[in-house]
Amino acid sequence: MTQFVIVTGGVVSSLGKGIASASLAAILESRGLSVTLIKLDPYINVDPGTMSPFQHGEVFVTEDGAETDLDLGHYERFITTRMKRANNFTTGQIYQSVLEKERRGDYLGKTVQVIPHITNEIQEFIKRGAGYGTPEAVDVAIVEIGGTVGDIESLPFLEAVRQMSLKLGPHQMAFVHLSYVPWIAAAGELKTKPTQHTAQKLREIGIQADCLLCRADRPIPAEEKEKISLFSNVPEWGVISMWDVDTIYKVPRMLHEQGLDRLICEKLHINTPPADLSRWDALVHEVEHPKQEVSIAMVGKYVDLSDSYKSLNEALRHAGMKNHARVNIHYIDSETITADTVSQLTKFDGVLVPGGFGKRGIEGKIAAARFAREKKLPYLGICLGMQVATIEYARHVAGLEHANSTEFEPDTPFPVIALIDEWKDADGTIQTRNAQSDLGGTMRLGAQSSDVSQGTLAHKIYGDVVSERHRHRYEANVRYLDTLRKAGLVISALTQREHLTEIVELPQSVHPWFMGVQFHPEFKSTPWDGHPLFNAYIKATLDHQSQRTNLKAVA
Ligand code: GLN
């Protein structure tokens, strides 16, 4: 039977609860246990799909096409279990499910209430995420509760896990609470009071933490740990210090050295071989000893909030590690790029246009793609980045002046990117669906397979078939593919099911490395192997750099 570790947070958000949970999972996995992670989000949105990246950061997409919290990205990068739709749920989903049951009459005339109906539903969802009682059940499920203790909206979740631990019986559930220990510069002291209070708040709700992870900018000395222990009723060895580090890959070892996994295994009465964190040590070594550096210009919209591109940043860094290079990512606001300013991109080793929605900054992205094509700078376009590369090629090479996507210019004379319904409508074959009526889940989402043409750059990277995850509405318009092909654009992969454009590229005789992909490869990159596409892109940027250096030397 699956056992559970509940991870809650106190004092403030953004302390790294996701990384802490993923690190604990990674250590337990290194002890030979099968582990999964479940994220509970107390907000009312059904999923983060319709939330602004400014509000929420990246929307992570699972293989089965769920739009989830970005913490699921950390989970997949830290452990081997793949996340599914059931690994993330929100208050919105809980209420939706309870209300559907109520309408069906499942509650047999009873008054439907937060306790027990909402709290029972939460427990069912947690068990479902862990595969509890099924052949897929894991040994340990780590359940991260979003928000901070004391928020009104997270109360039903805390109440649900409290009830659950009672029902499961002793040694089936452990509680880890992440707190904050601020350094007060004026006093020259670490302050333990917020942690004392948040542990008390948790006890008020009926939960006694087994372990406190104390976030601070520095290690917490024994004296302060002792004080925290006394006031929070957590034994001293359960007060664990989690200080700022320059790479997240140091966190598993930091927590293990202080006995976090031993404490959890003792609490849950689990016997395993000792943890083996050698691969994490190797990773840290790789991060700290790069042999070279590359600079990538990332031309996007939400550039002031790098959380919007979490998985992408990680994928680039992983590929850097694979190439023994430090990757410096320079975020460039596409609104600042015009025909006059685009030459600023010359100083970079590669250009990357990431995914995005909406018209703002589009012309800057198109100018960046054009510059990369003409100046033979390595170019990687992801999702929207493939679409702008296609628009750019249509306009400036294929002679389709003012070509555009109907997302940005509904009346464009050449809709080279459009909704499938729009180009099918021209034949009167299908009706336009009302895309505005329900924005949630109306996209191409999740993993899909495509056939890759032989002799292409894509084929060198992927072989015959590529399967990657999607999150977009618009597609390369089938009606213009022949024109684009004749003008020299290579369509190197088409989806198996609907023959939609999956990858475009330039022949390597024309450009050393130019590729746009309709999917989001960043979701499948791991620190262990990187990702073949990013590994190849970073390699191309390194080649570009050494070629440039050679040219300079000759000059
Ligand atoms: N806005 C584009 C679309 O919906 C691209 C989406 C993306 O980059 N994720 O198709």
Side-chain angles (χ1 to χ4, degrees), residues 166-182:
L166 191 73
K167 288 185 200 164
L168 291 175
H171 310 299
Q172 297 306 307
M173 196 177 255
F175 289 93
V176 174
H177 188 57
L178 184 80
S179 176
Y180 181 48
V181 182

Side-chain angles (χ1 to χ4, degrees), residues 131-372:
Y132 193 81
T134 73
E136 279 103 64
V138 289
D139 297 328
V140 181
I142 310 219
V143 181
E144 180 189 344
I145 301 184
T148 31
V149 169
D151 297 347
I152 291 177
E153 52 184 15
S154 59
L155 268 177
F157 289 96
L158 296 168
E159 173 62 15
V161 292
R162 185 194 64 76
Q163 292 175 8
M164 197 171 162
S165 83
L166 191 73
K167 288 185 200 164
L168 291 175
H171 310 299
Q172 297 306 307
M173 196 177 255
F175 289 93
V176 174
H177 188 57
L178 184 80
S179 176
Y180 181 48
V181 182
W183 169 259
I184 306 295
E189 270 181 70
L190 280 167
K191 289 295 185 186
T192 64
K193 192 80 81 188
T195 300
Q196 298 174 28
H197 280 288
T198 184
Q200 265 166 28
K201 188 83 206 159
L202 202 58
R203 285 210 305 277
E204 257 172 48
I205 299 164
I207 296 173
Q208 168 63 53
D210 297 298
C211 163
L212 287 173
L213 295 181
C214 300
R215 283 287 288 117
D217 64 347
R218 65 201 67 208
I220 296 169
E223 207 177 308
E224 269 75 23
K225 280 189 173 179
E226 206 177 307
K227 198 155 145 195
I228 292 171
S229 159
L230 209 59
F231 281 95
S232 61
N233 201 32
V234 172
E236 237 178 283
W237 59 88
V239 179
I240 289 175
S241 176
M242 196 176 152
W243 56 90
D244 288 353
V245 276
D246 44 11
T247 160
I248 52 175
Y249 306 126
K250 287 184 179 169
V251 179
R253 173 150 303 281
M254 175 199 294
L255 300 179
H256 167 69
E257 295 289 331
Q258 296 176 80
L260 175 64
D261 48 315
R262 199 178 58 226
L263 181 146
I264 297 294
C265 289
E266 275 171 18
K267 165 80 195 199
L268 298 179
H269 287 198
I270 299 176
N271 255 324
T272 73
D276 173 12
L277 298 181
S278 49
R279 68 179 196 152
W280 292 91
D281 300 335
L283 217 52
V284 171
H285 185 268
E286 195 58 61
V287 173
E288 292 185 331
H289 299 87
K291 295 197 174 72
Q292 45 205 333
E293 280 189 48
V294 279
S295 294
I296 307 291
M298 189 146 129
V299 183
K301 185 166 71 164
Y302 302 115
V303 281
D304 30 352
L305 192 74
S306 60
D307 252 11
S308 314
Y309 301 119
K310 196 86 205 162
S311 296
L312 186 49
N313 294 339
E314 289 298 311
L316 287 167
R317 301 221 161 88
H318 300 157
M321 276 145 62
K322 278 279 138 198
N323 284 284
H324 309 293
R326 185 191 304 284
V327 177
N328 300 315
I329 305 167
H330 299 264
Y331 303 100
I332 298 180
D333 183 349
S334 53
E335 281 189 299
T336 67
I337 295 196
T338 61
D340 297 332
T341 62
V342 71
S343 60
Q344 61 172 301
L345 299 179
T346 316
K347 59 178 180 287
F348 298 104
D349 304 308
V351 174
L352 192 155
V353 176
F357 293 84
K359 185 173 179 165
R360 189 155 62 84
I362 279 299
E363 290 303 320
K365 294 178 192 179
I366 292 174
R370 179 180 194 173
F371 187 82

Side-chain angles (χ1 to χ4, degrees), residues 354-358 382-385 387 405 407-408 417-419 443 470-475 518 520:
F357 293 84
I382 294 180
C383 205
L384 181 66
Q387 298 177 356
S405 162
E407 182 179 6
F408 319 126
I417 307 291
L419 295 173
M443 292 194 254
H470 297 76
R471 181 172 184 256
H472 63 107
R473 286 196 181 83
Y474 293 80
E475 305 280 353
Q518 188 57 80
H520 288 271

Side-chain angles (χ1 to χ4, degrees), residues 103-120:
R103 293 288 85 184
R104 278 202 309 265
D106 291 5
Y107 296 115
L108 305 173
K110 289 211 180 78
T111 308
V112 181
Q113 296 179 296
V114 173
I115 302 172
H117 301 101
I118 294 295
T119 46
N120 282 351

